[in-house]
Amino acid sequence: DGGITQSPKYLFRKEGQNVTLSCEQNLNHDAMYWYRQDPGQGLRLIYYSQIVNDFQKGDIAEGYSVSREKKESFPLTVTSAQKNPTAFYLCASSIQVGAQETQYFGPGTRLLVL
Amino acid sequence: GNSVTQMEGPVTLSEEAFLTINCTYTATGYPSLFWYVQYPGEGLQLLLKATKADDKGSNKGFEATYRKETTSFHLEKGSVQVSDSAVYFCALTQGAQKLVFGQGTRLTINP
């Protein structure tokens, strides 16, 4: 089955620790995205990548880093510089048909700070 | 810049009631419009979309019509079920620009 997988489903971070969230897609989509969702709120864009080996900051990139070494994979690292990392993290990928783009989302990873 | 405004929730209805969740947008030109649904503890699922004026997107009994004249994309369903309880997000994208989301509307259906 084609789709987007995120792992783990739950992740715990200790103070001062970096953690990495995995996102993999087998949809052959070029673009991938990371969003953060806080309780009762909408989605905010952290980083996005439109092509392998290239990525751009979104609206709230501080304290996060990404890499895009393979088309299928777009891992997100939450660094110790991110002082309030507790949130639900959603990865997405998109296909562009003509001028129209449609994003599809993974199941999410919930990050909790110990 | 582009923006999306949804009706504020939460919305609580009884089973088999008629549902409308309002969504209006601000954009230049002709954006593509989307409704996503998020069930508790899960990611977002694409519910329906419309890419040009007067298009109607539909899926699982939900419908929304792209109204250029009123810059709206209201979500409707004729008879809701308990299983429709979720958070609904209206969103738009335009060309190579990023997806812009509304703030989400929480829907609860009581049996």
Coordinates of all heavy atoms in Angstrom, one line a residue, chain A residues 9 35 37 41-43 45 48 50 59 88 90 96 99-107 110, chain B residues 31-32 34 36 38 41-44 46 49 51 89 93 95-99 101-103 106:
Chain A
K9 N 5.0 6.6 17.2 CA 3.7 7.2 17.4 C 3.8 8.2 18.6 O 3.3 9.2 18.6 CB 2.7 6.1 17.7 CG 1.3 6.7 17.7 CD 0.3 5.5 17.8 CE -1.2 6.1 17.9 NZ -1.6 6.8 16.7
Y35 N 4.8 19.8 10.0 CA 3.9 20.8 10.7 C 3.9 20.4 12.2 O 4.1 19.3 12.6 CB 2.5 20.7 10.2 CG 2.2 21.1 8.8 CD1 2.3 20.2 7.7 CD2 1.9 22.4 8.5 CE1 2.1 20.6 6.4 CE2 1.6 22.8 7.2 CZ 1.7 21.9 6.1 OH 1.5 22.3 4.8
Q37 N 1.3 20.9 15.6 CA 0.0 21.2 16.0 C -0.1 21.1 17.5 O 0.3 20.1 18.2 CB -1.0 20.1 15.4 CG -2.4 20.5 15.7 CD -3.4 19.4 15.2 OE1 -3.1 18.3 15.0 NE2 -4.6 19.9 14.8
Q41 N -5.4 23.8 18.4 CA -5.0 24.8 17.5 C -4.8 24.2 16.1 O -4.9 23.0 15.9 CB -3.7 25.5 17.9 CG -3.8 26.2 19.2 CD -2.6 27.0 19.6 OE1 -1.9 27.4 18.7 NE2 -2.4 27.2 20.9
G42 N -4.6 25.1 15.1 CA -4.3 24.6 13.8 C -2.9 24.2 13.6 O -2.2 24.0 14.5
L43 N -2.5 24.1 12.3 CA -1.2 23.6 12.0 C -0.3 24.7 11.6 O -0.7 25.7 10.9 CB -1.3 22.7 10.7 CG -1.7 21.2 11.0 CD1 -3.2 21.1 11.4 CD2 -1.4 20.4 9.8
L45 N 3.6 25.5 9.9 CA 4.6 24.9 9.1 C 6.0 25.1 9.7 O 6.4 26.2 10.0 CB 4.6 25.5 7.7 CG 5.5 25.0 6.6 CD1 5.2 23.5 6.4 CD2 5.4 25.8 5.4
Y48 N 9.9 22.7 4.9 CA 9.5 22.0 3.8 C 10.6 21.8 2.8 O 11.6 22.5 2.8 CB 8.2 22.6 3.1 CG 8.5 24.0 2.5 CD1 8.6 24.2 1.2 CD2 8.5 25.1 3.4 CE1 8.8 25.5 0.7 CE2 8.7 26.4 2.9 CZ 8.8 26.6 1.5 OH 9.0 27.8 1.0
Q50 N 11.1 20.8 -1.4 CA 10.4 20.5 -2.7 C 11.2 19.6 -3.6 O 10.7 19.1 -4.6 CB 10.2 21.9 -3.4 CG 9.2 22.8 -2.6 CD 9.0 24.1 -3.3 OE1 9.9 24.8 -3.6 NE2 7.7 24.4 -3.5
D59 N 7.3 28.7 9.0 CA 7.0 29.8 9.9 C 7.6 29.7 11.3 O 7.7 30.7 12.0 CB 5.4 29.9 10.0 CG 4.8 30.2 8.7 OD1 5.3 31.0 7.9 OD2 3.7 29.5 8.4
F88 N 2.0 17.8 18.7 CA 1.8 16.7 17.8 C 2.4 17.1 16.5 O 2.1 18.2 16.0 CB 0.2 16.6 17.7 CG -0.2 15.3 16.9 CD1 0.3 14.1 17.2 CD2 -1.2 15.4 16.0 CE1 -0.1 13.0 16.5 CE2 -1.7 14.3 15.3 CZ -1.1 13.1 15.6
L90 N 3.2 16.5 12.5 CA 2.6 15.9 11.3 C 3.5 16.1 10.1 O 3.9 17.2 9.8 CB 1.2 16.5 11.0 CG 0.1 16.1 12.0 CD1 -1.0 17.1 12.0 CD2 -0.4 14.7 11.7
Q96 N 2.0 17.5 -7.4 CA 1.5 18.6 -8.2 C 1.0 18.2 -9.6 O 1.8 17.5 -10.3 CB 2.7 19.6 -8.4 CG 2.3 20.9 -9.0 CD 2.6 22.1 -8.2 OE1 3.2 22.0 -7.1 NE2 2.2 23.3 -8.6
A99 N -1.0 23.1 -12.3 CA -0.8 24.2 -11.3 C -1.4 23.8 -9.9 O -1.3 24.6 -9.0 CB -1.4 25.5 -11.8
Q100 N -2.0 22.6 -9.8 CA -2.7 22.3 -8.6 C -1.8 21.3 -7.7 O -1.4 20.3 -8.2 CB -4.0 21.7 -8.9 CG -4.9 22.5 -9.9 CD -5.1 23.9 -9.4 OE1 -5.1 24.2 -8.2 NE2 -5.3 24.8 -10.4
E101 N -1.7 21.6 -6.5 CA -1.0 20.8 -5.5 C -1.9 20.2 -4.5 O -2.8 21.0 -4.0 CB 0.1 21.6 -4.8 CG 1.0 20.7 -3.9 CD 1.9 21.6 -3.0 OE1 1.6 22.8 -2.9 OE2 2.9 21.1 -2.5
T102 N -1.8 18.9 -4.1 CA -2.6 18.3 -3.1 C -1.6 17.7 -2.1 O -0.8 16.9 -2.4 CB -3.5 17.3 -3.6 OG1 -4.4 17.9 -4.6 CG2 -4.4 16.7 -2.5
Q103 N -1.8 18.0 -0.8 CA -1.0 17.5 0.3 C -1.7 16.3 1.0 O -2.9 16.4 1.2 CB -0.6 18.5 1.3 CG 0.4 19.5 0.8 CD 1.0 20.4 1.9 OE1 1.0 20.0 3.1 NE2 1.5 21.6 1.5
Y104 N -0.9 15.3 1.3 CA -1.4 14.1 2.0 C -0.6 14.0 3.3 O 0.6 14.2 3.3 CB -1.3 12.9 1.2 CG -2.2 12.9 -0.1 CD1 -1.7 13.5 -1.2 CD2 -3.5 12.5 -0.1 CE1 -2.5 13.6 -2.4 CE2 -4.3 12.6 -1.2 CZ -3.8 13.1 -2.3 OH -4.6 13.3 -3.4
F105 N -1.2 13.6 4.4 CA -0.6 13.6 5.7 C -0.4 12.2 6.3 O -1.1 11.2 6.0 CB -1.5 14.3 6.7 CG -1.4 15.8 6.5 CD1 -2.2 16.4 5.5 CD2 -0.6 16.6 7.3 CE1 -2.1 17.8 5.2 CE2 -0.6 18.0 7.1 CZ -1.3 18.6 6.0
G106 N 0.7 12.1 7.1 CA 0.9 10.9 7.8 C 0.1 10.9 9.1 O -0.6 11.8 9.4
P107 N 0.3 9.8 9.9 CA -0.6 9.6 11.1 C -0.1 10.5 12.3 O -0.8 10.6 13.3 CB -0.4 8.2 11.5 CG 0.9 7.8 10.9 CD 1.1 8.6 9.7
R110 N 3.4 12.1 18.5 CA 3.2 13.0 19.7 C 4.5 13.0 20.5 O 5.0 12.0 20.9 CB 2.0 12.5 20.5 CG 1.6 13.5 21.6 CD 0.3 13.1 22.2 NE -0.8 13.1 21.2 CZ -1.4 14.2 20.7 NH1 -1.1 15.4 21.2 NH2 -2.4 14.1 19.8
Chain B
P31 N -7.4 30.1 -6.2 CA -6.7 29.0 -5.4 C -7.5 27.7 -5.5 O -8.6 27.6 -6.0 CB -6.9 29.6 -3.9 CG -8.1 30.4 -4.0 CD -8.2 31.0 -5.3
S32 N -6.8 26.6 -5.1 CA -7.5 25.3 -4.9 C -7.9 25.3 -3.4 O -7.2 25.8 -2.5 CB -6.5 24.2 -5.2 OG -6.1 24.2 -6.5
F34 N -9.6 23.0 -0.1 CA -9.6 21.7 0.5 C -10.4 21.7 1.8 O -10.4 22.7 2.5 CB -8.2 21.2 0.8 CG -7.3 21.3 -0.4 CD1 -6.6 22.5 -0.7 CD2 -7.0 20.2 -1.1 CE1 -5.8 22.5 -1.8 CE2 -6.1 20.2 -2.2 CZ -5.5 21.4 -2.6
Y36 N -10.0 19.0 5.1 CA -9.3 17.9 5.7 C -10.1 17.6 7.0 O -10.6 18.5 7.7 CB -7.9 18.3 6.1 CG -6.9 18.3 4.9 CD1 -6.7 19.5 4.2 CD2 -6.2 17.2 4.6 CE1 -5.8 19.6 3.2 CE2 -5.3 17.3 3.5 CZ -5.1 18.5 2.8 OH -4.2 18.5 1.8
Q38 N -9.7 15.5 10.8 CA -8.7 14.9 11.8 C -9.5 14.2 12.9 O -10.2 14.8 13.7 CB -7.8 15.9 12.4 CG -6.7 15.4 13.3 CD -5.8 16.4 13.8 OE1 -6.2 17.5 14.1 NE2 -4.5 16.0 14.0
G41 N -6.5 11.8 17.8 CA -5.2 11.1 17.9 C -4.6 10.8 16.6 O -3.6 10.1 16.5
E42 N -5.2 11.2 15.5 CA -4.7 10.8 14.2 C -4.2 12.0 13.4 O -4.4 13.2 13.8 CB -5.8 10.1 13.4 CG -6.3 8.8 14.1 CD -7.3 8.1 13.2 OE1 -7.5 8.4 12.1 OE2 -7.9 7.1 13.8
G43 N -3.6 11.7 12.2 CA -3.2 12.8 11.3 C -4.4 13.3 10.5 O -5.6 12.9 10.7
L44 N -4.2 14.2 9.5 CA -5.2 14.8 8.7 C -5.5 13.9 7.5 O -4.5 13.4 6.9 CB -4.8 16.2 8.2 CG -5.1 17.3 9.2 CD1 -4.3 17.3 10.4 CD2 -4.9 18.6 8.4
L46 N -7.4 13.9 3.8 CA -8.1 14.7 2.8 C -9.5 14.2 2.6 O -9.8 13.1 2.3 CB -7.4 14.6 1.4 CG -8.0 15.4 0.3 CD1 -7.9 16.9 0.6 CD2 -7.2 15.1 -1.0
K49 N -11.9 18.2 -2.2 CA -11.2 19.4 -2.8 C -12.0 19.9 -4.0 O -12.8 19.2 -4.6 CB -9.8 19.1 -3.1 CG -9.6 18.1 -4.3 CD -8.1 18.0 -4.6 CE -7.9 17.1 -5.8 NZ -6.4 16.9 -6.1
T51 N -10.9 22.7 -7.4 CA -9.8 23.4 -8.0 C -10.2 24.6 -8.8 O -9.4 25.4 -9.2 CB -8.9 22.5 -8.8 OG1 -9.7 21.9 -9.9 CG2 -8.3 21.4 -8.0
F89 N -10.8 20.9 9.0 CA -9.9 22.0 8.6 C -10.2 22.4 7.2 O -10.2 21.6 6.3 CB -8.4 21.7 8.7 CG -7.9 21.5 10.1 CD1 -7.9 20.3 10.7 CD2 -7.5 22.6 10.8 CE1 -7.5 20.1 12.0 CE2 -7.0 22.5 12.1 CZ -7.0 21.2 12.7
T93 N -4.5 26.4 -1.3 CA -3.2 26.5 -1.9 C -3.3 27.2 -3.2 O -4.3 27.1 -3.9 CB -2.5 25.2 -2.0 OG1 -1.1 25.4 -2.3 CG2 -3.1 24.3 -3.0
G95 N -0.9 27.9 -6.7 CA 0.4 27.7 -7.4 C 1.4 27.0 -6.5 O 1.2 26.0 -5.9
A96 N 2.6 27.6 -6.4 CA 3.7 27.0 -5.7 C 3.7 27.5 -4.2 O 4.6 27.2 -3.5 CB 5.0 27.4 -6.3
Q97 N 2.6 28.2 -3.8 CA 2.6 28.7 -2.5 C 2.2 27.6 -1.5 O 1.6 26.6 -1.8 CB 1.7 29.9 -2.4 CG 2.2 31.1 -3.2 CD 1.5 32.4 -2.9 OE1 1.0 32.5 -1.9 NE2 1.6 33.3 -3.8
K98 N 2.5 27.9 -0.2 CA 2.3 26.9 0.9 C 0.8 26.8 1.1 O 0.0 27.7 0.9 CB 3.0 27.3 2.1 CG 4.5 27.4 2.1 CD 5.1 28.1 3.3 CE 4.7 29.6 3.4 NZ 5.3 30.2 4.6
L99 N 0.4 25.6 1.7 CA -1.0 25.3 2.1 C -1.3 26.2 3.3 O -0.5 26.3 4.2 CB -1.1 23.9 2.4 CG -2.5 23.3 2.6 CD1 -3.3 23.4 1.3 CD2 -2.4 21.8 3.0
F101 N -4.0 27.0 6.2 CA -5.1 26.3 7.0 C -6.0 27.3 7.7 O -5.5 28.3 8.2 CB -4.6 25.3 8.0 CG -4.0 24.1 7.4 CD1 -2.7 24.0 7.1 CD2 -4.8 23.0 7.2 CE1 -2.2 22.8 6.5 CE2 -4.3 21.8 6.6 CZ -3.0 21.8 6.3
G102 N -7.3 27.0 7.9 CA -8.1 27.6 8.9 C -7.7 27.1 10.2 O -6.9 26.2 10.4
Q103 N -8.4 27.6 11.3 CA -8.0 27.2 12.6 C -8.7 25.9 13.1 O -8.3 25.4 14.1 CB -8.4 28.3 13.6 CG -9.9 28.5 13.8 CD -10.6 29.5 12.8 OE1 -10.1 29.6 11.7 NE2 -11.6 30.2 13.3
R106 N -14.1 21.9 15.7 CA -14.4 20.6 16.3 C -15.9 20.3 16.3 O -16.7 21.1 16.7 CB -13.9 20.7 17.8 CG -14.1 19.4 18.5 CD -13.5 19.4 19.9 NE -12.1 19.6 19.9 CZ -11.2 18.7 19.7 NH1 -11.6 17.4 19.5 NH2 -9.9 18.9 19.7

